[in-house]
Amino acid sequence: MVELELGMVAFAAAFAIGISAYSAAKAETEIGTAALGALAENEKLFVPSLILMVIPETIVIFGLVTSILIIGLAG
Amino acid sequence: MFHAEEMVKVRISGPKNLMKEIIGSLYDLNLLHVNPFKKKENDFFNSGNSFDEASEYSKTLVELRSVIDLLKIRKSKKIKKIENISQANARFVKIFEEVKFLNSELTGLRKEREAIKRKLEEPVLNLNVKPFLLKGYSNVKLFKGVCQSDFEPELKNEVKSYYLMGNNEETANAFILVVPLSEEEKTRKILLSHGFAESEIKFDESKKELESMLASVRKKIRLKRKELRAIKKKHKLFINSFEQALTQLNEKAEAPLQFASSMRSFFVNGWIPAESLQKFENSLSLAAKKRIHIEKFDAGEKAPTKLENPKPTNAFELFLDLYSLPKYYELDPTVLFSITFPLFFGFMLGDVGYGLLVFLISYTGLRLLKPGKQLKNLLTILLLSSISTIFFGFVFAEFFGVEFVHNPLINRVHGITQMLLISVLVGVLHINLGFVLKAVNGFAKHGLMGAIEEGISWILLELGVALVILENFGMISFGLISGGIISLIALVLMVKGEGFAGIIEIPSAVGHIISYARLFGIGLSSVQLALIINNLAGQHIWNGITGFIIGLIVILLGHAINLWLGVMGSFIQSMRLHYVEFFTKFYKGNGIRYMPFGWKRGD
């Protein structure tokens, strides 16, 4: 029984980081496509594009923090 | 250091007949950032006109640059001084005519080559029919070409007698069809309904002849290109020098467009660095034989920005160049950048081995490559960051992922909670630094109240919230009331300073602080990858000679990939923490780059 609970905790943690990583990746595909389009028109937009590109990565960080909290709270 | 170089706004006025001398002197001084004159409706002054020779210069420049483009002449620093412009111009006209003629011939030859190539690709040539068999008929009609679908069954039904050659896979469906003249219209209709494309081949062109024609055209093209190369080799230096000389002349001749002028006088507004003012005044009045007047004003808000930071922190000006320069009166965060960027980078990569590698790569790059300004700045940034990487490598006691001390100061792999706390704490500090800078900017613009409303209010709010949370955890007993009051005051100040937009920013500020968790997240993934590589290699490396080779490959390749990922990740994430989390607190940007009127060497 203990092992099932442990498995559930691990699963929840994995779910937290997995889904947030997927969402960030999904967001980045769209931003990346648009950014490349913009870059083709104007190379000076490189830094703004780069910044926009990495903004969704915060989502993964939130997911990571949540996973760690889940594991930590479960002990 | 924390501000752009001090500027003085000047207005230079003088008589028009000395304009050329004054412009020449301004150009040589290379100090004045010109503020172009824009005529308003009832201004007494008009915008100036360029000198007469300007149109001649720009016409020649267009021709000159087209020649440079055509001959693919690269810009070089080797320049010969051109003494006599009209002589040089005569020489250039000759070169230009020659190049133009050669180029038009070349274009014609290329067109010819393409036409022959197209013919050679025609499938009808595969039929290998002797050309003389295809001409001189008066009673039959001859079709040659390709159809998209098979027309033969239909033809059989409609036309009584015909002769068909080809039209199979061997000839790629090319065919020659002969029908009596009386059946011509009917046949054409059938062929067209099957997507007939008639061949362009003339009757007297065989495959062999076409091939020899192609070879001769190619030879001609080679000869012409050789001639062009010879011209390039002979005149390269001259063309480059002439281009530079002419560009300078043209810039001078067009300068008056930005001046204000009346019948006999002119004036020009602009900024110069305060420390060069004396030199500027002296040289200019000397050039104008003292018949000139220079007024001085405060720099004002629109003054251009010239960053001035001590070495090696000025390498970090790269980040502002890429983002947006600060306004003249705004804080220049380059020095802060140069402290926190390497720290963040090192904290994320944090490995003695990787640090040493990055150090070696950037050091040899700086020594051997003779890099341009941007690359040099980038390598300097990497060099400083690698030192901090080595430092944090010792803190975490990691060497290519291997723990070389049993109880390091901080264990990155197991002390996750500790690392998370440190990261968020760094976030709180960094973001509050941003608020302090915001207060400083507010103070510069609106005085003490501005500083309190725009920057301090945020810090007060954090304090209030912290007090409430501490009471919640039972650590203090007075937190709820005092914290609430402080937060309320902070909110009122915030709304007064920035309107309700400030309140909307509160949740994002919380998000920003948590965002600093990436400081350890990136590092953790980097260590884990290194550990996996080491484990994988460790399984093989002591298993005989083949195992050793496999293990070695895994180690070299794996760590090379991980280093690349780690450096890229740490660099971009550290940059992002500054641009997104830090800069949004205080930085406005949109400054104008200080671009003095004069010759710009290189880029």
Side-chain angles (χ1 to χ4, degrees):
Chain A
M1 201 56 202
V2 177
E3 278 181 4
L4 182 67
E5 277 173 12
L6 199 66
M8 294 288 268
V9 170
F11 192 72
F15 220 58
I17 181 99
I19 286 198
S20 56
Y22 174 79
S23 322
K26 183 90 181 111
E28 279 188 8
T29 50
E30 310 211 343
I31 296 170
T33 331
L36 269 182
L39 273 180
E41 296 281 330
N42 183 356
E43 281 181 31
K44 283 183 185 157
L45 291 174
F46 179 71
V47 171
S49 320
L50 192 72
I51 294 172
L52 288 176
M53 189 71 206
V54 293
I55 278 181
E57 282 178 8
T58 319
I59 304 174
V60 195
I61 304 295
F62 291 163
L64 180 68
V65 172
T66 313
S67 310
I68 289 168
L69 285 179
I70 290 173
I71 293 173
L73 287 179
Chain B
M1 195 158 91
F2 286 102
H3 272 285
E5 202 176 323
E6 198 189 341
M7 295 275 162
V8 181
K9 191 176 182 179
V10 290
R11 173 181 293 161
I12 303 153
S13 28
K16 241 181 171 174
N17 54 2
L18 280 175
M19 198 141 98
K20 240 175 215 174
E21 286 83 352
I22 292 170
I23 286 174
S25 166
L26 283 176
Y27 197 86
D28 293 340
L29 278 167
N30 204 353
L31 280 172
L32 182 75
H33 178 102
V34 178
N35 184 18
F37 174 77
K38 286 188 197 82
K39 185 179 164 65
K40 287 180 203 102
E41 217 170 290
N42 39 16
D43 263 346
F44 170 72
F45 285 95
N46 281 314
S47 293
N49 296 320
S50 52
F51 292 125
D52 295 338
E53 56 270 31
S55 65
E56 188 64 32
Y57 289 154
S58 42
K59 186 178 150 260
T60 315
L61 265 177
V62 170
E63 292 174 353
L64 193 51
R65 282 172 191 157
S66 76
V67 169
I68 288 176
D69 198 42
L70 214 94
L71 297 182
K72 299 195 179 67
I73 296 179
R74 261 187 272 148
K75 281 205 168 153
S76 82
K77 280 178 188 154
K78 224 172 93 187
I79 294 292
K80 209 172 62 187
K81 198 166 179 340
I82 294 212
E83 303 287 349
N84 188 335
I85 282 292
S86 60
Q87 219 170 40
N89 200 28
R91 181 175 169 191
F92 171 68
V93 168
K94 259 187 222 153
I95 299 172
F96 181 64
E97 289 304 325
E98 211 173 332
V99 170
K100 204 165 82 176
F101 179 68
L102 276 174
N103 189 44
S104 74
E105 277 196 327
L106 204 56
T107 322
L109 283 171
R110 283 193 177 126
K111 261 187 201 151
E112 215 174 301
R113 184 181 65 187
E114 290 315 305
I116 297 175
K117 266 189 182 166
R118 251 202 323 275
K119 279 183 187 171
L120 268 173
E121 277 164 15
E122 296 230 15
V124 174
L125 279 177
N126 295 338
L127 290 171
N128 271 332
V129 177
K130 297 232 159 53
F132 70 87
L133 287 174
L134 298 175
K135 59 180 175 183
Y137 299 110
S138 50
N139 292 321
V140 292
K141 171 70 190 172
L142 200 134
F143 292 99
K144 54 195 172 6
V146 186
C147 272
Q148 277 168 6
S149 51
D150 190 18
F151 58 90
E152 209 178 344
E154 206 174 320
L155 194 72
K156 234 177 215 165
N157 287 337
E158 304 270 331
V159 183
K160 271 173 256 152
S161 63
Y162 64 90
Y163 172 72
L164 180 64
M165 227 186 123
N167 197 30
N168 50 35
E169 273 177 30
E170 244 169 81
T171 61
N173 284 338
F175 63 86
I176 290 176
L177 174 67
V178 186
V179 293
L181 220 47
S182 54
E183 307 274 10
E184 184 187 344
E185 282 310 304
K186 221 193 271 174
T187 315
R188 187 183 295 279
K189 241 182 221 165
I190 295 169
L191 289 180
L192 284 177
S193 72
H194 286 276
F196 178 52
E198 186 151 22
S199 156
E200 282 173 35
I201 297 282
K202 288 199 196 96
F203 293 135
D204 49 2
E205 285 171 342
S206 72
K207 197 167 182 173
K208 222 175 178 180
E209 275 170 65
L210 282 174
E211 265 162 8
S212 76
M213 269 164 78
L214 186 65
S216 88
V217 170
R218 280 193 169 139
K219 197 176 169 193
K220 276 186 205 158
I221 289 179
R222 269 203 298 279
L223 282 176
K224 297 285 167 209
R225 285 177 58 181
K226 207 171 162 190
E227 279 180 59
L228 278 176
R229 271 203 299 279
I231 293 179
K232 174 181 172 178
K233 202 173 169 195
K234 194 172 159 199
H235 301 295
K236 199 162 71 182
L237 179 65
F238 164 73
I239 286 179
N240 261 333
S241 317
F242 189 44
E243 202 262 350
Q244 177 172 336
L246 211 59
T247 308
Q248 290 179 351
L249 280 174
N250 191 44
E251 278 175 11
K252 283 186 214 173
E254 283 181 347
L257 289 172
Q258 302 187 321
F259 293 7
S261 73
S262 66
M263 275 282 276
R264 300 196 196 289
S265 67
F266 76 93
F267 75 82
V268 52
N269 289 325
W271 288 272
I272 53 172
E275 58 172 25
S276 314
L277 184 65
Q278 200 56 45
K279 178 185 152 204
F280 181 79
E281 277 183 302
N282 292 344
S283 329
L284 209 59
S285 62
L286 196 72
K289 304 176 192 93
K290 295 202 171 163
R291 290 162 60 196
I292 195 170
H293 180 63
I294 302 179
E295 284 174 88
K296 281 150 274 182
F297 309 91
D298 279 343
E301 283 199 2
K302 283 181 187 160
T305 309
K306 186 186 181 193
L307 298 179
E308 115 183 293
N309 287 294
K311 265 186 171 179
T313 61
N314 58 1
F316 288 83
E317 286 172 4
L318 174 75
F319 287 121
L320 296 192
D321 277 343
L322 288 173
Y323 190 76
S324 172
L325 283 178
K327 282 216 155 66
Y328 174 70
Y329 55 83
E330 215 180 335
L331 262 172
D332 168 13
T334 307
V335 174
L336 297 171
F337 224 120
S338 73
I339 297 166
T340 47
F341 184 90
L343 284 179
F344 288 0
F345 184 96
F347 191 78
M348 281 191 255
L349 199 56
D351 187 299
V352 179
Y354 290 158
L356 281 172
L357 272 181
V358 176
F359 183 86
L360 280 176
I361 291 168
S362 44
Y363 185 77
T364 41
L366 276 174
R367 274 294 131 105
L368 296 181
L369 282 179
K370 284 185 195 150
K373 198 183 153 215
Q374 283 214 337
L375 187 62
K376 191 179 160 200
N377 284 347
L378 187 69
L379 288 174
T380 315
I381 290 168
L382 274 178
L383 193 76
L384 291 173
S385 305
S386 72
I387 293 169
S388 129
T389 307
I390 295 171
F391 169 74
F392 278 106
F394 279 112
V395 172
F396 305 139
E398 279 171 29
F399 184 84
F400 288 110
V402 179
E403 251 181 64
F404 57 79
V405 178
H406 268 302
N407 286 313
L409 252 60
I410 305 167
N411 189 320
R412 272 212 286 189
V413 186
H414 301 294
I416 288 177
T417 333
Q418 202 184 358
M419 287 290 285
L420 184 64
L421 275 177
I422 293 173
S423 304
V424 172
L425 193 69
V426 169
V428 171
L429 287 175
H430 201 220
I431 280 189
N432 275 312
L433 179 64
F435 286 134
V436 170
L437 295 181
K438 191 177 187 177
V440 172
N441 268 346
F443 183 75
K445 251 182 137 178
H446 308 296
L448 189 61
M449 261 333 259
I452 293 173
E453 281 166 9
E454 285 172 25
I456 310 279
S457 61
W458 282 92
I459 299 171
L460 275 179
L461 183 68
E462 283 172 53
L463 191 71
V465 173
L467 283 172
V468 174
I469 291 175
L470 283 180
E471 160 128 26
N472 236 359
F473 279 121
M475 287 181 190
I476 46 173
S477 53
F478 54 89
L480 199 59
I481 299 167
S482 55
I485 292 173
I486 291 175
S487 308
L488 208 65
I489 295 172
L491 283 176
V492 170
L493 286 170
M494 207 182 286
V495 172
K496 203 163 161 261
E498 307 177 59
F500 283 95
I503 303 223
I504 298 168
E505 288 282 309
I506 294 172
S508 81
V510 178
H512 284 169
I513 288 173
I514 299 176
S515 181
Y516 280 78
R518 79 187 60 229
L519 280 178
F520 95 95
I522 305 287
L524 188 64
S525 68
S526 171
V527 189
Q528 293 289 9
L529 262 175
L531 284 176
I532 290 170
I533 294 161
N534 290 344
N535 276 339
L536 211 62
Q539 286 168 10
H540 295 285
I541 206 153
W542 307 123
N543 270 348
I545 189 82
T546 40
F548 185 76
I549 292 171
I550 293 174
L552 205 66
I553 291 173
V554 168
I555 283 187
L556 289 178
L557 208 65
H559 280 298
I561 293 171
N562 195 28
L563 177 68
W564 172 247
L565 284 176
V567 170
M568 279 290 284
S570 307
F571 197 92
I572 291 178
Q573 299 300 340
S574 181
M575 195 159 107
R576 173 227 147 94
L577 282 178
H578 285 84
Y579 282 155
V580 180
E581 273 81 14
F582 186 52
F583 271 20
T584 46
K585 300 290 168 291
F586 68 97
Y587 194 72
K588 294 252 162 39
N590 253 339
I592 303 158
R593 184 184 305 277
Y594 169 71
M595 297 246 270
F597 173 64
W599 179 242
K600 285 147 201 81
R601 285 166 199 85
D603 282 314

